[in-house]
Amino acid sequence: MAVEMVRVVVVGAGMAGVQTAVALRQQGYDGSLVLLGAEPHPPYDRPPLSKDVLLGRAEHSRFEIDFDELGIELALGRRALSLDADARTVKTDGGDLSYTQLVLATGAAPVSLPGQPDSAFLLRTQDDALALRAALRPGLRLVVVGAGWIGAEAATVARQLGCEVTVVEAANAPLAGALPAEFGERTRAWYARAGVELLTTSAVSEIGAHAVHLTDGRELAADAVVVGIGARPDNAWLAGSGIPLDDRGAVAADARLRAGRDDVHAVGDCASFPSARYGRRLAVHHWDNALQGARVVAANILGGEVVYDPVPYFWSEQFGHMVQVAGVVDQSARRLARGEDTVLWLRDDRLEAVVTVDKPRDLAQGRKLIEAGKQIDPAKAADPTTALKAATV
Ligand SMILES: Cc1cc2nc3c(=O)[nH]c(=O)nc-3n(C[C@H](O)[C@H](O)[C@H](O)COP(=O)(O)OP(=O)(O)OC[C@H]3O[C@@H](n4cnc5c(N)ncnc54)[C@H](O)[C@@H]3O)c2cc1C
């Protein structure tokens, strides 16, 4: 191997950290491998937390991985506190760990409202999901703050469990942070059909003991409150380490996911990377990014020079619909509707992004077209009776 192999330490035992460790073994690394995770639980997958786990259809979403058999040493319930990159040492609350190669995979932490009481629920961890699930019961008056992906999924499940749900959103449409307002507007009808009250352009001023207060003076009675207003890279422990962070606090990795040094790598929600494909730095807080990035990090630890420049992919299950997004939606690109349920964004007749509702085939074909960067015929692409993959010129 091109790199001296003694010990890899992965900090963060979520999707990105776990998949990096697994990929290292799959790609032939046979040295010592430690996976450090602050949470005490066996590593688990997050997307089911706001779906089957919250609904009670699944008890947990643990990864079905035999870490012992793979020779991956789990150090769980142990938190990295600081990094001395020159000494190649991670200080943890269970003692120091030295490494030859370090992987930063600490994910993101949910944003709280200022002054948010402890009684309000967040939805990021397994503990969060199980606590919320225990509270949800028919007739419970639940206020969900935020109509983003997490808020929409939490509202979906709470409604299925018979709660009276109100969603409060500061922006003028759901999903405003992620997609153009016209798409979010479209989901408004889904809330109504599910019997969920949606209040947009409505900001929360305070969460009280039995009510949520809005800045315009309205008061919403609430037995329980979920706050789903986003997540920020969980990198505070890197302060003073010299590891570069971008202006949003993500580890500013290079195109090979190296974090300012040859022996430190960053992947998943905690990192951003320069995308030649999209001509800017991307921070992608999605499951597929944690999976694909992990494989690149493993290859590069093993001496590779693999560039990471994915077509980001994301899905959300809300109000009985499967929303899927491939690529990066940029409003300066040309928008093209393909029937009712698929929207394409083109630049110079090349597909840049696709958003679908209950159209997995369009999504899969669109994703491949984006990856291939092939020119397409807009008239054919707009025709839902023709397969999207047949729209190339
Ligand atoms: C409820 C929910 C539903 C989601 N649903 C979808 C979906 O439907 N589709 C989709 O594409 N994406 C979804 N996502 C996003 C997806 O789960 C994340 O993008 C993915 O989990 C990122 O993986 P990660 O390993 O980078 O970060 P994380 O999963 O956040 O894992 C990071 C881990 O590092 C640990 N850690 C943090 N700091 C330290 C430290 N100092 N020392 C040690 N350990 C530390 C954390 O405890 C955590 O376990 C969802 C996320 C959530 C929360």
Side-chain angles (χ1 to χ4, degrees):
M1 275 172 213
V3 180
E4 184 202 6
M5 280 300 143
V6 181
R7 167 137 126 146
V8 177
V9 171
V10 180
V11 182
M15 182 70 187
V18 165
Q19 293 302 330
T20 302
V22 169
L24 277 164
R25 289 298 186 226
Q26 283 170 343
Q27 294 179 30
Y29 172 62
D30 59 6
S32 152
L33 180 46
V34 178
L35 182 57
L36 183 73
E39 294 178 66
H41 311 293
Y44 62 87
D45 205 11
R46 270 172 225 283
L49 298 182
S50 52
K51 305 173 183 75
D52 281 0
V53 173
L54 194 57
L55 196 55
R57 223 185 255 157
E59 282 305 307
H60 60 76
S61 52
R62 255 173 242 153
F63 291 115
E64 286 183 21
I65 293 170
D66 190 335
F67 292 98
D68 273 354
E69 194 173 304
L70 288 171
I72 298 169
E73 188 187 327
L74 291 179
L76 301 175
R78 193 166 159 191
R79 180 175 287 278
L81 301 176
S82 64
L83 169 66
D84 184 337
D86 292 330
R88 291 183 166 174
T89 302
V90 176
K91 193 179 273 300
T92 82
D93 54 9
D96 291 357
L97 279 174
S98 61
Y99 61 83
T100 311
Q101 296 279 324
L102 177 67
V103 179
L104 309 173
T106 47
V111 176
S112 297
L113 283 168
Q116 177 177 316
D118 290 345
S119 58
F121 293 94
L122 295 167
L123 187 45
R124 178 79 199 177
T125 65
Q126 178 178 298
D127 287 346
D128 292 340
L130 295 180
L132 179 58
R133 182 172 101 184
L136 298 181
R137 55 174 193 278
L140 180 96
R141 292 169 305 175
L142 180 73
V143 172
V144 177
V145 183
W149 303 114
I150 296 287
E153 293 196 356
T156 300
V157 171
R159 197 63 199 120
Q160 279 175 283
L161 294 173
C163 302
E164 298 300 322
V165 184
T166 303
V167 177
V168 183
E169 168 59 52
N172 57 8
L175 303 174
L179 293 177
E182 84 241 19
F183 185 86
E185 270 311 324
R186 181 180 171 181
T187 72
R188 197 182 280 277
W190 303 352
Y191 286 77
R193 222 172 291 134
V196 172
E197 187 176 11
L198 171 66
L199 304 176
T200 49
T201 331
S202 299
V204 171
S205 60
E206 196 193 346
I207 298 175
H210 303 288
V212 170
H213 304 272
L214 305 186
T215 50
D216 62 8
R218 277 177 294 171
E219 191 179 303
L220 310 172
D223 304 312
V225 180
V226 177
V227 176
I229 56 172
R232 298 277 175 272
D234 204 353
N235 293 324
W237 72 285
L238 292 173
S241 67
I243 297 296
L245 302 185
D246 67 19
D247 54 2
R248 293 168 159 223
V251 174
D254 70 13
R256 291 167 180 75
L257 297 182
R258 293 196 174 103
R261 310 171 58 105
D262 284 348
D263 54 0
V264 184
H265 313 256
V267 62
D269 284 12
C270 76
S272 65
F273 53 90
S275 167
R277 188 190 294 278
Y278 291 100
R280 60 186 164 101
R281 183 164 279 281
L282 298 182
V284 182
H285 285 204
H286 302 327
W287 186 92
D288 188 65
N289 174 60
L291 173 67
Q292 308 298 343
R295 294 173 180 160
V296 168
V297 165
N300 289 342
I301 287 176
L302 297 174
E305 287 295 336
V306 182
V307 168
Y308 186 57
D309 198 3
V311 172
Y313 166 69
F314 172 75
W315 82 96
S316 170
E317 294 161 43
Q318 47 180 280
F319 304 113
H321 296 284
M322 172 67 102
V323 180
Q324 291 173 290
V325 184
V328 175
V329 178
D330 185 330
Q331 298 266 42
S332 68
R334 176 181 169 199
R335 182 186 180 285
L336 187 66
R338 176 179 158 82
E340 295 273 289
D341 301 317
T342 298
V343 186
L344 311 170
W345 280 267
L346 309 178
R347 200 180 296 275
D348 302 329
D349 288 349
R350 283 172 222 282
L351 197 55
E352 202 170 80
V354 51
V355 178
T356 61
V357 177
D358 303 323
K359 288 275 184 266
R361 194 168 300 160
D362 274 3
L363 190 287
Q365 294 180 7
R367 189 178 179 183
K368 284 194 186 133
L369 287 176
I370 302 171
E371 270 158 10
K374 283 195 189 143
Q375 224 176 331
I376 62 171
D377 176 345
K380 280 192 207 158
D383 176 5
T385 63
T386 307
L388 188 52
K389 66 180 175 190
T392 49
V393 289

